[in-house]
Amino acid sequence: MPSTIYLIDYENTRSGILDALESIAPEGSLFLMFYSEQTRMPEKILISLSGELDVRLIDCKSGTHDSMDFL
């Protein structure tokens, strides 16, 4: 069981958010990253991470920019 779970709306974050969270997150944290066709390619961000984060990508079929804010 993860010690802390972070829910990340990837439409509204800066590109280095996972690097920043990695530096302060407790060991064993889980990152659930919600993205849509309106966001940057999350796979490229994950490839660039140096640490061993438990990051799970969740594809949201939202349709328009910022629509995940209202789901």
Side-chain angles (χ1 to χ4, degrees):
M1 188 72 164
S3 60
T4 304
I5 299 173
Y6 292 88
L7 305 175
I8 302 169
D9 174 354
Y10 197 55
E11 279 186 341
N12 296 315
T13 58
R14 60 183 178 83
S15 61
I17 188 67
L18 291 175
D19 289 327
L21 287 173
E22 179 182 21
S23 67
I24 62 168
E27 187 175 329
S29 294
L30 170 63
F31 298 86
L32 301 177
M33 195 160 71
F34 300 88
Y35 72 98
S36 73
E37 60 276 1
Q38 305 298 320
T39 59
R40 302 176 301 276
M41 296 302 294
E43 297 87 1
K44 291 181 182 178
I45 301 299
L46 294 178
I47 291 169
S48 69
L49 291 174
S50 59
E52 294 184 21
L53 295 179
D54 187 359
V55 178
R56 310 223 181 132
L57 301 175
I58 300 170
D59 187 5
C60 297
K61 302 296 182 196
S62 58
T64 61
H65 182 70
D66 286 336
S67 60
M68 283 196 293
D69 295 337
F70 306 104
L71 293 176

